[in-house]
Amino acid sequence: MVSAGWIQEVWLELAFKPKIHAIVFMFSATLYQFTQQSLPACKPVLTPAWVIATFLLMGIIFIPTGFITLRASRSVVEIVDRYDADCVPEEFRINKVAYIKDNSISKNCTRFLKIDKRMKAPIYIYYQLDNYYQNHRRYVKSRTDQQLLNGLGYNDTSTCQPEELIRGFPVVPCGLIAWSLFNDTYTFVRGRSDLKINRKNIAWKSDRDHKFGKHVHPFNFQNGTLIGGGSLDPTIPLSDQEDLIVWMRTAALPSFRKLYGRIEQDLDADDVLVVKLMNNYNTYSFGGKKKLILSTSNWLGGKNDFLGASYIFVGSSCIFISLVFLLLHMKNPRTYGEIPYSSWNKKSISS
């Protein structure tokens, strides 16, 4: 005797099996079209006229853009002063490492910067380090982001070695990056008055708000026998220590600049700035260089001729290629194929 359940199973199989086969067939056909590159798509015919016109249009667009970008870059006023060598006393020129490590020797240094062109506020102050590899694998990993955000409440600081513990107590912030904090300082005098340096909002807002704790204070920092760089005020939370936040965003290249502050006054041409700096940071042990930079900015940012030069180079190359193609086409012209007989048009012809 045939059960009702068996009849229902047979009916479902007969009802849905053709649909399943149809779906599988459609999927297979579509997959075949995709793998054979025969799906409906835009397939332009690259005739010589189209190719020559495209390269020529790219050159016409890129070259003026390059000159505009280059002019904007050249309008930025920038002053660069390398001071690491000149700020070493004459008697220590042959042994600069001994000078920088001797705390009994004054590190005061005075520099004079002449303003050749008028500089409109805000004027950005940067320090630049050369031959300094912040991208070294061990250096980059020597930090704990969770500790920067949570402080002593986060105990797993094994990635901070060798600056993890001092005398058995944890270090906040731990790691080589924080330990090597840049600690040269600058003050500027114009005439008889000091120029005020705004050192607020020099770090990324996202870093201040989300990566450094508002209730996390430095603890046991730079208390070891070997001091790496600058110290931190234990009464100020990490989220407000913007020097540290700027320094902790490591650079990808061995020559880099980091923002120190801003001068919010215009500087006139022929002004002479007296820079009183503290030459504290040790770059002499590894042959590094230190530079002080003053720079204005515009819609393009800072001074950078590379982008404009790249646009001009690419545009010139496109025009050169278009002329070469034009000459080759004029010398050895080829008859065009019949576009209606192309592979993607065969179906429409047959129908």
Side-chain angles (χ1 to χ4, degrees):
M1 186 175 182
V2 180
S3 64
W6 182 82
I7 296 174
Q8 186 177 7
E9 289 179 5
V10 172
W11 180 83
L12 289 173
E13 184 178 357
L14 294 175
F16 289 101
K17 194 171 183 179
K19 294 182 179 180
I20 294 173
H21 282 297
I23 293 172
V24 171
F25 176 78
M26 290 176 60
F27 176 77
S28 300
T30 304
L31 182 63
Y32 175 81
Q33 287 183 318
F34 175 77
T35 56
Q36 298 301 317
Q37 295 293 298
S38 58
L39 284 173
C42 177
K43 299 177 180 178
V45 179
L46 298 179
T47 62
W50 269 104
V51 173
I52 293 170
T54 301
F55 275 106
L56 189 62
L57 181 62
M58 290 175 61
I60 292 173
I61 294 173
F62 272 57
I63 290 178
T65 303
F67 279 111
I68 293 172
T69 306
L70 195 60
R71 182 178 179 182
S73 175
R74 298 287 174 85
S75 68
V76 173
V77 183
E78 185 177 273
I79 299 173
V80 180
D81 178 53
R82 180 185 173 186
Y83 63 88
D84 59 284
D86 294 339
C87 285
V88 177
E90 192 69 34
E91 59 271 22
F92 289 98
R93 294 289 171 89
I94 58 174
N95 193 355
K96 299 175 182 177
V97 177
Y99 154 76
I100 202 68
K101 289 184 176 181
D102 192 341
N103 293 328
S104 64
I105 303 174
S106 173
K107 302 300 190 295
N108 290 319
C109 183
T110 302
R111 307 287 292 171
F112 298 91
L113 302 180
K114 183 179 180 181
I115 309 300
D116 295 325
K117 294 175 64 177
R118 188 170 187 270
M119 303 180 73
K120 294 183 180 180
I123 300 167
Y124 296 92
I125 306 169
Y126 300 92
Y127 57 88
Q128 177 173 323
L129 298 179
D130 296 331
N131 198 35
Y132 194 116
Y133 289 83
Q134 271 198 322
N135 59 353
H136 191 283
R137 180 173 177 271
R138 189 179 182 189
Y139 184 88
V140 171
K141 292 181 65 177
S142 185
R143 62 185 291 168
T144 299
D145 291 333
Q146 289 298 322
Q147 189 210 52
L148 295 173
L149 189 61
N150 302 306
L152 292 172
Y154 186 79
N155 298 321
D156 185 8
T157 57
S158 58
T159 58
C160 288
Q161 293 180 355
E163 292 299 320
E164 178 185 6
L165 301 172
I166 295 179
R167 300 185 183 93
F169 294 98
V171 179
V172 180
C174 66
L176 288 174
I177 305 176
W179 176 78
S180 60
L181 174 64
F182 184 81
N183 62 339
D184 283 6
T185 60
Y186 313 100
T187 58
F188 297 85
V189 179
R190 180 175 61 173
R192 296 183 179 180
S193 61
D194 292 347
L195 291 176
K196 184 179 179 181
I197 301 176
N198 184 359
R199 307 203 63 196
K200 294 292 185 181
N201 299 323
I202 61 174
W204 289 18
K205 188 176 185 300
S206 59
D207 289 352
R208 297 196 308 266
D209 295 344
H210 305 294
K211 293 187 178 181
F212 291 80
K214 292 180 172 57
H215 303 288
V216 179
H217 293 76
F219 176 79
N220 201 24
F221 185 70
Q222 299 289 25
N223 288 336
T225 56
L226 184 61
I227 306 300
S231 58
L232 298 173
D233 189 340
T235 63
I236 300 176
L238 295 185
S239 60
D240 293 336
Q241 309 236 20
E242 298 198 40
D243 279 346
L244 173 69
I245 299 174
V246 170
W247 181 256
M248 293 291 286
R249 183 167 283 277
T250 53
L253 300 175
S255 294
F256 58 87
R257 297 179 180 182
K258 292 185 181 290
L259 185 60
Y260 181 83
R262 293 184 300 273
I263 298 174
E264 296 181 339
Q265 301 178 35
D266 293 346
L267 299 178
D268 298 323
D270 298 327
D271 278 352
V272 176
L273 297 185
V274 180
V275 184
K276 298 179 181 179
L277 61 89
M278 293 291 291
N279 185 27
N280 297 317
Y281 201 69
N282 182 10
T283 56
Y284 306 106
S285 298
F286 53 89
K289 302 175 184 177
K290 295 189 288 187
K291 297 176 184 177
L292 172 64
I293 297 161
L294 301 181
S295 177
T296 59
S297 65
N298 56 22
W299 60 269
L300 188 64
K303 190 178 184 67
N304 186 359
D305 293 345
F306 177 78
L307 183 61
S310 300
Y311 273 116
I312 294 173
F313 174 77
V314 172
S316 302
S317 300
C318 289
I319 290 181
F320 176 75
I321 292 173
S322 67
L323 293 176
V324 171
F325 283 177
L326 178 62
L327 293 176
L328 290 175
H329 181 60
M330 293 176 63
K331 182 180 179 181
N332 300 309
R334 294 179 59 188
T335 56
Y336 298 164
E338 294 292 337
I339 296 177
Y341 291 97
S342 299
S343 60
W344 55 87
N345 287 325
K346 286 181 179 179
K347 292 183 180 179
S348 59
I349 295 174
S350 58
S351 59

